[in-house]
């Protein structure tokens, strides 16, 4: 109890702060409450997104349990952006900036109110890294709570998910399905609360943050509408109290080795390329030197063992069915792919957390996770490519099903809208390398995701015969031969800004290179004629973001100048 009191709010006990005391009495605190630690419970809940629509209820359930543990829970809210709703529109430009706004706003409230600990209740993609960035800046006892994944939809006996809706558009355009079937797929894709069901960005970040040590065991894999999700509230209340008693803070937990654990799990599960941006940003917030080269090093030694969407067959609900994220981590630990001595928010090491977890079974009953000797790919799916087209790096998602080499003629689009129109009009042919530029962090601005064009390519039956290169980024739902995060971006005068239709581009995932066959003389000629486009925004958040944001190879952070 002494250690718990050590964290109790000095502000509420300081007689020189009568206004603070008066305000807190006004919200219903008692004299006894004034001596208790105050826990900020930050919710990204809001009605307009299935990923987040249940989070406020969760936050108040957690508050109730926190209050029973001799603490005071105080719920506050911050923003969220639905990537699924904004995808393919100008709204997607606000998605990545929302990560840093979430981090900033949690930092602001926690510091302004002097709360002693933080519980972040989060759902959609950018909520999770944003909350972890805030925790690391604050460095006071904290943990993250993921709202869980949605159940799969169903149409004519076929499992559906969010990407089914996007790919249905391409199928409709190509004539494969009717307007009626298209509409039914849209209606049936997402049945209720929870984040998108595949190993897309939300589930990628949730599971890897559990491996990082910042979420309780099983939190990432229990589905949103599973009864066990409501039962987590008591575990969370006990955990934050324990963190206070131990005085165990985020910077005591995160290390380079724990970051390696997170990245290893991303690669083993076939996770989203967005994880690269987010872990670069998380490492920056922690003051840890972790670069693109570290991603490649971990990917090289980590086999892809999960057959999960978007490139595979299964969903996060299926991972839950075979033992959850801890069962997968236990297997990876036993095989030497994780560091077991890393501390976690339980107050125990990763190995201690996993000691009693039931081992994965590899038999006819499950083919969600493969044994390493039958890995879907001997290395991870996240590959870092360099070359004259990406002198500061780029990120590819190579599951092994696309092959390792693609060489083709560029067909260039300035912006996603032009690309979508061009693909829809049949301007893309087999063997082409689609180039979408001026959609980077500064040029977008906001580095929107290119799920709609990649889904249209897939839906049109071109997925295995067309590559896509962009200075933007990809949804976790993207699959195919795609390379994003091209750095330097077009807005900054990178070579991607000079590529023309017909230029030959070679993408080699064996040598991890991406090269445009343009002579040095021709590059110099085109460079002399290039004029940087004017900013798309001259005020507001996107103007500020374009001015402040770092490159994709530095995590697109907004506090590094």
């Amino acid at each position: 109890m002494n250690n718990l009191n050590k964290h109790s709010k000095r502000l509420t006990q300081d007689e020189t702060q009568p206004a603070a005391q008066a305000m807190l009495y006004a919200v219903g605190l008692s004299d006894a409450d004034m001596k208790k630690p105050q826990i900020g419970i930050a919710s990204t809940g809001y009605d307009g997104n299935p990923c987040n629509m249940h989070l406020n209820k969760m936050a108040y359930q957690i508050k109730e349990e926190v209050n029973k543990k001799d603490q005071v829970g105080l719920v506050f809210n911050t923003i969220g952006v639905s990537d699924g709703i904004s995808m393919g529109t100008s709204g997607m430009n606000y998605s990545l900036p929302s990560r840093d706004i979430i981090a900033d706003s949690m930092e602001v409230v926690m510091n302004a109110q002097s709360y002693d600990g933080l519980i972040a209740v989060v759902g959609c993609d950018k909520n999770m890294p944003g909350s972890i960035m805030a925790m690391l800046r604050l460095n006071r006892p904290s943990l993250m709570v993921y709202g869980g994944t949605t159940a799969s939809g169903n149409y004519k006996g076929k499992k559906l998910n969010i990407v089914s809706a996007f790919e249905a558009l391409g199928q409709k355009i190509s004539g494969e399905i009717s307007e009626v079937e298209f509409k039914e797929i849209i209606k049936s894709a997402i049945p209720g609360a929870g984040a998108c069901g595949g190993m897309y960005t939300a589930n990628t970040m949730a599971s890897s943050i559990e491996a990082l040590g910042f979420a309780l065991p099983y939190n990432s894999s229990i589905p949103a509408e599973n009864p066990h999700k409501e039962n987590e509230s008591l575990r969370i209340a006990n955990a934050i109290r324990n963190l206070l008693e131990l005085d165990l803070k985020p910077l005591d937990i995160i290390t380079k080795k724990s970051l390696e654990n997170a990245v290893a799990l991303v690669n083993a599960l076939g996770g989203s390329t967005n994880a690269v941006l987010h872990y670069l940003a998380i490492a920056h917030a922690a003051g840890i030197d972790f670069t693109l080269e570290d991603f490649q090093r971990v990917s090289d030694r980590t086999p892809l063992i999960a057959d999960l969407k978007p490139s595979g067959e299964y969903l996060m609900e299926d991972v839950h069915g075979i033992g959850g994220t801890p069962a997968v981590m236990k297997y990876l630990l036993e095989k030497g792919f994780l560091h077991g001595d890393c501390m976690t928010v339980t107050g125990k090491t990763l190995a201690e957390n996993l000691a009693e977890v039931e081992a994965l079974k590899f038999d006819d009953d499950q083919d969600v996770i493969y044994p390493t000797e039958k890995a879907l790919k001997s290395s991870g799916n996240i590959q870092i490519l360099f070359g004259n087209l990406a002198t500061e790096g780029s990120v590819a998602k190579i599951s092994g099903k696309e092959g390792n080499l693609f060489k083709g003629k560029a067909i260039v689009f300035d912006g996603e809208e032009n690309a979508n129109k061009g693909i829809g009009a049949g301007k893309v042919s087999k063997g082409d390398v689609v180039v979408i530029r001026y959609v980077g962090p500064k040029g977008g601005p906001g580095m929107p995701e290119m799920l709609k064009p990649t889904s249209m390519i897939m839906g049109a039956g071109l997925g295995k015969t067309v590559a896509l290169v962009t200075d933007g980024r990809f949804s976790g739902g993207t699959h195919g031969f795609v390379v994003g995060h091209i750095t330097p971006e077009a807005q900054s005068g990178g070579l991607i800004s000079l590529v023309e239709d017909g230029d030959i581009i070679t993408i080699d995932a064996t040598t991890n290179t991406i090269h445009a066959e343009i002579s040095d003389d021709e590059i110099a000629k085109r460079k002399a004629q290039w004029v940087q486009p004017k900013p798309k925004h001259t005020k507001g958040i996107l103007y500020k973001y374009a001015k402040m944001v770092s490159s994709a190879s530095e995590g697109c952070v907004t506090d590094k100048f």
Side-chain angles (χ1 to χ4, degrees), residues 169-449:
L169 177 61
Q171 292 171 318
K172 185 184 79 164
I173 291 170
S174 67
E176 185 180 337
I177 62 174
S178 68
E179 177 69 33
V180 172
E181 289 176 302
F182 171 68
K183 194 70 174 178
E184 288 303 314
I185 290 171
I186 300 298
K187 287 181 177 179
S188 307
I190 305 171
C196 302
M199 192 45 60
Y200 311 141
T201 304
N203 284 323
T204 296
M205 293 310 298
S207 55
S208 59
I209 286 169
E210 187 175 318
L212 185 69
F214 280 72
L216 296 179
Y218 297 99
N219 174 250
S220 66
S221 50
I222 299 173
E225 296 184 320
N226 186 291
H228 292 296
K229 183 57 77 174
E230 287 196 9
N231 296 338
E232 283 194 302
S233 297
L234 177 58
R235 285 205 302 151
I236 293 156
N238 286 331
I240 193 67
R241 180 187 171 97
N242 186 49
L243 287 168
L244 288 165
E245 290 179 340
L246 294 173
D247 193 22
L248 185 61
K249 299 182 288 294
L251 293 178
D252 301 323
I253 294 171
I254 195 168
T255 62
K256 190 157 188 171
K257 287 167 68 175
S258 67
L259 284 165
E260 290 177 357
N261 284 346
V263 173
L265 193 66
V266 170
N267 280 283
L269 295 179
S272 166
T273 52
N274 279 314
V276 178
L277 286 177
H278 298 328
Y279 279 108
L280 289 171
I282 287 168
H284 169 69
I288 296 173
D289 181 25
F290 201 82
T291 66
L292 290 176
E293 287 77 7
D294 291 303
F295 278 91
Q296 189 61 59
R297 176 174 52 80
V298 176
S299 179
D300 286 343
R301 64 169 173 79
T302 309
L304 172 59
I305 60 172
D307 191 28
L308 300 173
K309 288 185 180 295
S311 56
E313 293 298 319
Y314 295 100
L315 300 168
M316 195 62 163
E317 64 183 10
D318 300 304
V319 175
H320 173 69
I322 61 165
T325 307
V328 179
M329 288 197 292
K330 184 182 181 81
Y331 179 68
L332 290 171
L333 179 64
E334 290 172 347
K335 289 293 183 177
F337 297 110
L338 298 180
H339 305 289
D341 59 344
C342 292
M343 183 53 64
T344 75
V345 290
T346 65
K348 299 178 181 179
T349 65
L350 187 73
E352 288 172 329
N353 287 344
L354 300 175
E356 302 302 319
V357 170
E358 187 174 343
L360 271 176
K361 294 181 175 63
F362 298 104
D363 52 33
D364 294 337
D365 291 334
Q366 78 91 4
D367 55 358
V368 180
I369 306 294
Y370 285 71
T372 53
E373 58 270 19
K374 295 182 180 179
L376 299 170
K377 189 170 179 278
S378 60
S379 61
N381 67 313
I382 303 292
Q383 298 294 309
I384 308 301
L385 277 55
F386 288 89
N388 72 342
L389 199 55
T391 56
E392 295 174 15
S394 62
V395 181
K397 187 175 184 179
I398 308 294
S399 70
K401 296 182 180 181
E402 310 86 355
N404 289 312
L405 180 68
F406 197 102
K407 185 174 184 178
K409 292 186 297 183
I411 177 166
V412 182
F413 299 100
D414 289 348
E416 182 188 3
E417 184 178 356
N418 289 332
N420 291 336
K421 288 177 180 177
I423 296 164
K427 291 183 179 179
V428 176
S429 304
K430 291 182 180 180
D432 286 343
V433 178
V434 176
V435 177
I436 307 177
R437 64 190 180 191
Y438 295 108
V439 288
K442 295 181 182 295
M447 205 180 182
E449 293 178 345

Side-chain angles (χ1 to χ4, degrees), residues 82-130:
S82 170
D83 287 8
I85 293 172
S86 63
M87 194 71 67
T89 75
S90 60
M92 176 47 67
N93 295 81
Y94 293 87
S95 169
L96 187 58
S98 77
R99 180 196 71 183
D100 294 70
I101 295 171
I102 289 165
D104 293 348
S105 59
M106 287 187 184
E107 177 189 357
V108 165
V109 174
M110 288 291 296
N111 276 332
Q113 307 307 124
S114 301
Y115 293 153
D116 301 294
L118 172 63
I119 299 170
V121 186
V122 291
C124 197
D125 301 5
K126 310 309 173 293
N127 303 181
M128 286 169 278

Side-chain angles (χ1 to χ4, degrees), residues 49 58 72 249 298 355 362 375 400 426 465 498 528:
N49 183 13
M58 286 182 62
V72 175
K249 299 182 288 294
V298 176
F362 298 104
T465 60
L498 308 179

